[in-house]
Amino acid sequence: MATSETVLPERTTTPAHRDGNVLRWLTAYTASLIGDSVYFVALGWSAQKAAGPAEVGLIMAAGALPRALLMLGGGVVADRFDPRRVILASDTLRCLLILSVAAAIALTTPALWILVAVALVFGAVDALFIPAIGALPPRITSSDQLARVTGMRSLSMRLSQIAGPPIGGLAMGLGGAAAAFTVAGLLFALSLPLLLTIRMRPFGPPREKQPEPGTAWKDLLDGLRYIRRHRLIGPLVAAGAICELGLTGTLSVGMVLLNAERGWGPSGYGWIVSSFGAGAAASAALLAIAGWLPRAGLMLAGTLLVGCAGAATIALVPTLWVAVVLAALIGLSAGVFGSLDNTLIQTAADPAYLGRVASVVMLTMVGLAPLSYPLVGAAIGAWGAAPVFLGCGTFASLGVAITLASDPVRQAELPRHRPGVTA
């Protein structure tokens, strides 16, 4: 670690919601997430004006490819360098990129190739940003506060999803795509001074013998072996990946098609999606307020089972209001599972591997999960919604079997805050 970096001294543990260091990071993270949402609104509308429907889809999806391909490499970068510096560098690049696009659009009509290039570069920079963000929380707070920080981070994500699109739409209405891109760039810029003030906790002693430094490829393979061999992290990553593959496409693409099949209309779909979001937000608030849940490993398995059962049966319910209630239960259960899964992984991971572990976890969300979208759509077109929802929920429940078959997962507990104990 460079001598110029500010580190946290040893001190009494401060609850995350009162820790200025955590709150500065959370504010910077929220500004960056809202900037992401505004950027996607601006990109979509710019694409719609420059090209046809097929090209719009191409432009909107272009960033996903480099993000998925480079994500694991981003984890290596986060572990080799200070994650805060990686976040600062990537947010600076995103800021400069988006402000440059705003200036170009203000001067001329955006060409299709420019929008594709912007999406590709933005996705590549995201591949650095996302693993570094995942590796940062254990470096800015104590392990007993990670569950609370995870809840606060989830609430931040929900806030950005609510606030970002209206801000982007307002900017588009007032000044067109150039104004929307400018707002996104300024939000990225807002996060930079906040990130500069974040104090990092020094690494503790390694929990196991570290391999000799090697090439980036060797570091990547070493990180994958570390995850595979870890008795707690390995099963948790596998369960999370299966959950994402089984449920994400079902609860996004599948829910649209189920709604059309039942004739519930746009308002019905809105109620279901809002109810799911409310349940997920409630789970984030629970973790942010409580900061600790008992029997974390068993609760993780239980909430995943409830979420899988809800996803499997929601296509069988007879009326809209029952589907809305069930969607809230699925959101609540999935939110608790995801938060506990992420917190236990971060707590157990050796500090030297945090970036690579975070990159693998995020790859299952942004890389693997979207692969299920066309499969779910084609399957529902062939067999209808009910059997596909049942099959996907059953597949996702394999994650429950993995967690329950692992002694370390069943016995896993979150670190508990004890006032007066030094961090």
Side-chain angles (χ1 to χ4, degrees):
M1 186 182 299
T3 57
S4 60
E5 182 183 271
T6 304
V7 298
L8 284 171
E10 296 295 316
R11 57 177 176 79
T12 301
T13 299
T14 302
H17 62 283
R18 297 205 304 265
D19 188 338
N21 200 48
V22 172
L23 295 177
R24 287 191 298 273
W25 166 78
L26 188 67
T27 303
Y29 181 58
T30 303
S32 188
L33 286 178
I34 295 175
D36 278 342
S37 295
V38 175
Y39 156 74
F40 281 111
V41 170
L43 184 68
W45 278 100
S46 299
Q48 184 268 333
K49 290 186 176 182
E55 288 81 4
V56 171
L58 171 65
I59 292 170
M60 296 299 289
L65 181 61
R67 187 184 299 116
L69 291 177
L70 301 175
M71 184 76 71
L72 296 181
V76 173
V77 172
D79 283 336
R80 284 196 166 197
F81 303 96
D82 169 26
R84 185 190 63 164
R85 293 181 180 177
V86 176
I87 295 168
L88 277 167
S90 56
D91 248 4
T92 300
L93 288 174
R94 298 200 300 178
C95 176
L96 294 175
L97 173 68
I98 300 308
L99 290 179
S100 299
V101 174
I105 291 177
L107 296 174
T108 182
T109 302
L112 180 63
W113 71 268
I114 292 179
L115 298 176
V116 172
V118 169
L120 289 171
V121 174
F122 195 91
V125 177
D126 253 4
L128 296 175
F129 177 82
I130 293 173
I133 276 289
L136 194 61
R139 300 294 309 278
I140 62 174
T141 191
S142 55
S143 61
D144 61 298
Q145 294 299 310
L146 280 177
R148 180 171 277 121
V149 169
T150 299
M152 294 164 67
R153 181 180 174 186
S154 297
L155 284 174
S156 174
M157 294 171 65
R158 294 293 169 186
L159 174 62
S160 70
Q161 292 167 355
I162 294 170
I167 292 174
L170 179 62
M172 287 288 301
L174 294 176
F181 277 114
T182 300
V183 170
L186 292 177
L187 284 165
F188 295 140
L190 175 63
S191 70
L192 297 177
L194 292 168
L195 289 169
L196 284 169
T197 66
I198 292 175
R199 297 168 294 158
M200 301 283 284
R201 305 182 79 87
F203 278 132
R207 297 175 187 171
E208 57 183 66
K209 183 180 179 180
Q210 300 299 308
E212 292 296 323
T215 63
W217 179 250
K218 180 179 179 296
D219 285 355
L220 173 58
L221 294 179
D222 179 56
L224 296 176
R225 283 192 293 268
Y226 172 78
I227 293 171
R228 178 173 59 84
R229 294 171 179 171
H230 199 288
R231 297 181 65 233
L232 178 61
I233 295 177
L236 289 176
V237 169
I242 290 173
C243 175
E244 291 289 343
L245 281 171
L247 298 185
T248 301
T250 309
L251 298 175
S252 52
V253 175
M255 201 63 75
V256 173
L257 298 177
L258 171 64
N259 193 74
E261 186 179 285
R262 293 297 181 87
W264 288 333
S267 63
Y269 176 71
W271 276 108
I272 291 174
V273 172
S274 296
S275 182
F276 178 88
S283 71
L286 173 66
L287 264 294
I289 295 170
W292 183 83
L293 294 175
R295 308 295 295 273
L298 291 177
M299 183 171 290
L300 175 146
T303 51
L304 177 57
L305 179 61
V306 171
C308 293
T313 57
I314 194 170
L316 304 176
V317 300
T319 58
L320 173 61
W321 75 266
V322 178
V324 169
V325 173
L326 194 53
L329 179 62
I330 296 170
L332 177 65
S333 301
V336 173
F337 163 76
S339 295
L340 290 176
D341 187 67
N342 186 62
T343 303
L344 289 173
I345 288 173
Q346 287 192 330
T347 302
D350 190 294
Y353 290 95
L354 277 169
R356 281 165 285 182
V357 171
S359 71
V360 172
V361 172
M362 293 307 300
L363 181 62
T364 65
M365 299 174 64
V366 303
L368 294 181
L371 297 178
S372 65
Y373 291 2
L375 297 178
V376 169
I380 291 178
W383 302 308
V388 174
F389 272 71
L390 183 62
C392 289
T394 302
F395 173 78
S397 67
L398 293 175
V400 182
I402 291 174
T403 58
L404 291 178
S406 167
D407 284 338
V409 175
R410 291 199 309 270
Q411 298 168 9
E413 293 282 3
L414 295 174
R416 193 164 191 176
H417 172 57
R418 291 179 175 86
V421 177
T422 55

